[in-house]
Amino acid sequence: MADYKKSSVHCHSTMCDGKNTLQDMASAACAQGLTTLGFTGHSYTQRDREYCMSPSRTAQYKATIAKLKVEYKGKVDILCGIEWDILSEDKRTGYDYWIGSAHHLYGKNTGKYYEIDFRPQDLWDCINDDFDADPLAAVEAYFAEVEKVAALKPDILAHIDLIKKLNANGEFFDEESPRYKAAALKALQAAKANDCLLEVNTGGVYRGYRKDFYPGPWLLGEWQKMGGKVIITSDSHDINSLTYGFDEAAAAIKAAGFTSVQVLTGSGFETQEL
């Protein structure tokens, strides 16, 4: 039977920007009673090599996970996924599933690619140098990137409103602005048109950036009105966060009007009633 508390399928290791090895993550998942562990290393992009897997590491990643699948057979279903960014150069095939995401904005003036969820200064530079000091123009550009990812029909669409990560106190833009909401809704409509499964991601809360999940309550409510489906993930980068905040996420999902969540198991996606 599907159980969201025992399935963690957005996970990173030392192969990319995680803190623990693949083996450590698998061992911890087993010790914590998980039945499904899905690895989703960041796919290679030469535009930003700071956080992703190189081609050689990608090969090592696949080989190591293949061994872990055998080692943990009957204990934990180990899945080999990938988090594929719009700038990624790796193929999306050859994996058990793939997560689609957007982490960067292209600057038309400077020709730079800015990572919007890491260093505040990068986001300031992006807004000032390439979006004419208009933060909501950058927001609109970000959600347009999400639309492009959604159009590729990922198995899971990641942290749809990641642009808010560094904006917990409204440092960059007003999340209640009509422009912000219009851009977010447009991305949400693209997700629905392409039958995307939206993750409710607890990672920003675990790492202390936000007090709300991705997506926030308002956007999650709009997704429910559209008849969208959700899956709970932790975007785990260490062994202590594999199922961080899952019950709180389930409560937020119920508060938004959902009656069920999707759960990824070794047999595929299953529905669990809340």
Side-chain angles (χ1 to χ4, degrees), residues 135-156:
L136 288 171
V139 167
E140 290 161 348
Y142 171 77
F143 281 116
E145 292 297 294
V146 174
E147 289 180 54
K148 293 176 187 177
V149 177
L152 297 172
K153 301 182 184 297
D155 296 304
I156 299 170

Side-chain angles (χ1 to χ4, degrees), residues 43-52 85-89 104-106 110-115 119:
S43 184
Y44 174 69
T45 168
Q46 65 173 332
R47 299 289 185 182
D48 187 352
R49 304 179 196 181
E50 190 171 6
Y51 78 106
C52 66
D85 190 274
I86 197 67
L87 297 179
S88 295
E89 298 175 27
H104 300 82
L105 283 179
Y106 172 70
T110 63
K112 293 181 180 178
Y113 287 88
Y114 299 92
E115 194 172 0
R119 286 176 286 261

Side-chain angles (χ1 to χ4, degrees), residues 9-19 22 38-46 48-59 61-62 65 80-92 95 97-104 115 117-118 158-159 162 165 199 201 207 234-238:
V9 296
H10 184 166
C11 299
H12 300 282
S13 72
T14 50
M15 287 290 171
C16 53
D17 61 346
K19 295 182 179 179
L22 293 167
F39 290 112
T40 50
H42 287 291
S43 184
Y44 174 69
T45 168
Q46 65 173 332
D48 187 352
R49 304 179 196 181
E50 190 171 6
Y51 78 106
C52 66
M53 298 187 294
S54 65
S56 61
R57 280 209 166 194
T58 302
Y61 169 82
K62 290 179 177 179
I65 293 175
C80 184
I82 194 77
E83 182 171 359
W84 192 92
D85 190 274
I86 197 67
L87 297 179
S88 295
E89 298 175 27
D90 191 14
K91 294 179 180 178
R92 300 185 298 275
Y95 296 97
Y97 66 105
W98 70 281
I99 293 179
S101 63
H103 294 87
H104 300 82
E115 194 172 0
D117 65 321
F118 188 29
H159 38 60
L162 184 65
K165 178 178 175 179
E199 68 170 6
N201 181 315
R207 290 187 281 277
S234 63
D235 202 345
S236 178
H237 285 66
D238 62 51

Side-chain angles (χ1 to χ4, degrees), residues 68-217:
L68 291 173
K69 285 187 177 193
V70 175
E71 182 179 347
Y72 285 89
K73 187 176 182 180
K75 299 176 183 177
V76 182
D77 288 322
I78 304 290
L79 302 178
C80 184
I82 194 77
E83 182 171 359
W84 192 92
D85 190 274
I86 197 67
L87 297 179
S88 295
E89 298 175 27
D90 191 14
K91 294 179 180 178
R92 300 185 298 275
T93 55
Y95 296 97
D96 294 321
Y97 66 105
W98 70 281
I99 293 179
S101 63
H103 294 87
H104 300 82
L105 283 179
Y106 172 70
K108 64 184 184 303
N109 297 332
T110 63
K112 293 181 180 178
Y113 287 88
Y114 299 92
E115 194 172 0
I116 54 87
D117 65 321
F118 188 29
R119 286 176 286 261
Q121 190 59 51
D122 288 351
L123 186 53
W124 278 124
D125 290 344
C126 175
I127 291 167
N128 292 326
D129 297 343
D130 283 289
F131 289 91
D132 303 319
D134 181 355
L136 288 171
V139 167
E140 290 161 348
Y142 171 77
F143 281 116
E145 292 297 294
V146 174
E147 289 180 54
K148 293 176 187 177
V149 177
L152 297 172
K153 301 182 184 297
D155 296 304
I156 299 170
L157 183 61
H159 38 60
I160 191 169
D161 52 352
L162 184 65
I163 187 68
K164 74 181 186 181
K165 178 178 175 179
L166 303 178
N167 194 59
N169 297 312
E171 298 95 326
F172 293 91
F173 45 79
D174 178 7
E175 294 172 29
E176 295 299 316
S177 161
R179 285 176 65 190
Y180 181 97
K181 290 191 170 184
L185 273 177
K186 196 163 178 283
L188 211 61
Q189 289 160 354
K192 189 65 178 70
N194 289 284
D195 199 27
C196 292
L197 174 60
L198 211 66
E199 68 170 6
V200 176
N201 181 315
T202 67
V205 177
Y206 174 74
R207 290 187 281 277
Y209 287 100
R210 301 283 309 196
K211 292 183 179 178
D212 59 335
F213 303 126
Y214 311 117

